[in-house]
Amino acid sequence: MHFQWYPGHMTKAKRMMQENMKLIDLVIELVDARVPVSSRNPDLDELGKNKARLILLNKSDLAEERMNDVWAAYFKEKGYSVVKLNAKKGGGIKSIQGVIQEACKEKIERDRKRGILNRPVRAMVVGIPNVGKSTFINALAGKACAKTGNKPGVTKGKQWIRLNKNVELLDTPGILWPKFEDQTVGLRLAWIGSIKDEILNTEELAAELTGFLVNSYPDVLKEKYEIEESADGFENLRGIAESRHCLVKGNELDTEKAAKLLLDDFRNGRLGRITLETPENN
Ligand code: G4P
């Protein structure tokens, strides 16, 4: 399978992020809890070095809870602050303010020693497209958010959202593109819907997904679609097409329709909470 790649956008977005990094104390990085490593862009560690770091495991409602804890421990071990989040429903949002203060305590202490009191922490939200950045900013800022104007000299041309007296958030999130030269990473990102389906072979993608599910989440397909699970992904698609009456003229099985149905069910959590990678298999 072949994945497309947009170096032009990436270069521009990266340059802008480099500029924004100079203005902030804390990088708030959203990752998708179903693919916490594949949904990260490794460039961020370089771009955000010397900054306090907070990782949000977003869409945690779609990932397996046990694995959310495993991943949270994994990133904490590496020195990041971590929060499990459901930006859509607001789960985890309340704890964010406290975690931000904790993540930036060294900076706050440095300020205090220099006699600077009450300078708010400045933060920027970053992540790959569709990971939930806008949803998160809206949930965190809420209705009461006041956008601060341009501050000459310091934040020229930038809009900041003042969350409270302690935290200001850069209005526009930083977009990072995932690195999907690696086919496994590409597959996982396609399964969660991060890569446009039009550029992919839907049936192949869905057949591969059934392969993963049969191995890692046995009986999920069996229970959902009442099929016999097979090691052959296309056989699973035929089974789904049959049980869901996906037919084309002449009563032929419409495996393309079955593939779309499966991907849609998976992406919307209708197959249950599923995590696609573990610290061992990424
Ligand atoms: P972005 O700025 O990073 O590009 O992402 P955005 O906030 O636009 O969110 C992308 C999609 O992910 C949205 O769905 C949003 O509702 C959904 N989303 C964000 N956070 C969560 C979460 O924690 N859990 C779940 N389940 N979904 C989340 P959409 O399909 O574009 O719209 P809609 O389904 O909300 O109507």
Side-chain angles (χ1 to χ4, degrees):
M1 214 173 291
H2 216 77
F3 301 104
Q4 283 202 9
W5 190 232
Y6 302 102
H9 288 147
M10 286 177 52
T11 316
K12 192 165 166 238
K14 199 168 154 185
R15 208 179 309 122
M16 191 180 296
M17 195 170 310
Q18 246 157 356
E19 286 306 306
N20 287 339
M21 281 290 174
K22 295 177 190 155
L23 309 172
I24 59 156
D25 310 298
L26 168 72
V27 179
I28 303 179
E29 179 186 5
L30 268 81
V31 301
D32 189 303
R34 294 165 296 175
V35 281
V37 169
S38 296
S39 60
R40 299 189 76 202
N41 182 314
D43 290 344
L44 188 59
D45 281 333
E46 180 59 28
L47 286 165
K49 65 174 191 283
N50 308 325
K51 303 289 171 188
R53 301 289 297 275
L54 167 59
I55 288 190
L56 304 180
L57 291 169
N58 194 37
K59 308 199 184 183
S60 60
D61 53 308
L62 298 174
E64 199 184 333
E65 187 56 17
R66 185 182 61 87
M67 289 310 298
N68 289 340
D69 291 332
V70 167
W71 279 114
Y74 171 89
F75 286 118
K76 276 183 189 157
E77 165 79 25
K78 291 191 181 302
Y80 301 93
S81 298
V82 185
V83 174
K84 291 184 283 180
L85 195 71
N86 175 351
K88 198 169 170 174
K89 293 266 167 70
I93 291 285
K94 278 207 189 94
S95 65
I96 298 279
Q97 302 272 11
V99 176
I100 289 179
Q101 295 305 310
E102 178 64 23
C104 295
K105 65 173 188 262
E106 282 174 21
K107 172 228 172 281
I108 294 166
E109 183 57 17
R110 254 193 332 267
D111 279 358
R112 200 185 60 78
K113 281 192 179 139
R114 289 185 195 144
I116 307 168
L117 292 177
N118 303 328
R119 192 165 71 88
V121 166
R122 295 226 171 97
M124 172 169 64
V125 172
V126 305
I128 66 169
N130 214 37
V131 72
K133 298 179 293 300
S134 311
T135 311
F136 166 67
I137 291 175
N138 289 338
L140 187 63
K143 286 191 194 81
C145 86
K147 282 191 184 170
T148 62
N150 296 343
K151 291 178 184 168
V154 191
T155 59
K156 197 162 158 245
K158 301 287 170 197
Q159 285 270 313
W160 295 84
I161 301 169
R162 174 167 269 251
L163 295 177
N164 54 36
K165 67 177 180 10
N166 298 322
V167 187
E168 290 183 356
L169 199 64
L170 199 58
D171 185 21
T172 36
I175 301 170
L176 287 166
W177 268 261
K179 298 225 159 179
F180 44 84
E181 293 106 330
D182 176 339
Q183 291 294 291
T184 314
V185 171
L187 259 185
R188 290 172 183 162
L189 291 168
W191 287 340
I192 65 166
S194 267
I195 301 171
K196 281 199 176 69
D197 281 352
E198 299 91 83
I199 62 171
L200 301 166
N201 179 327
T202 311
E203 285 178 75
E204 209 175 311
L205 191 65
E208 296 259 16
L209 178 59
T210 70
F212 166 81
L213 291 171
V214 168
N215 274 326
S216 301
Y217 289 88
D219 294 339
V220 162
L221 293 176
K222 187 175 169 192
E223 277 160 28
K224 177 77 181 167
Y225 303 110
E226 294 164 339
I227 62 168
E228 280 309 314
E229 294 184 345
S230 164
D232 175 352
F234 283 90
E235 188 54 37
N236 292 324
L237 286 187
R238 281 190 288 277
I240 295 170
E242 201 166 9
S243 85
R244 289 301 162 101
H245 308 293
C246 303
L247 301 169
V248 274
K249 57 183 180 321
N251 271 359
E252 242 178 77
L253 293 175
D254 188 346
T255 42
E256 165 103 30
K257 193 168 172 194
K260 286 189 177 142
L261 187 123
L262 170 72
L263 289 170
D264 199 54
D265 281 345
F266 168 69
R267 288 170 186 164
N268 289 296
R270 289 192 291 267
L271 299 181
R273 298 173 67 172
I274 288 169
T275 300
L276 296 174
E277 59 195 17
T278 62
E280 294 79 37
N281 79 0
N282 77 82

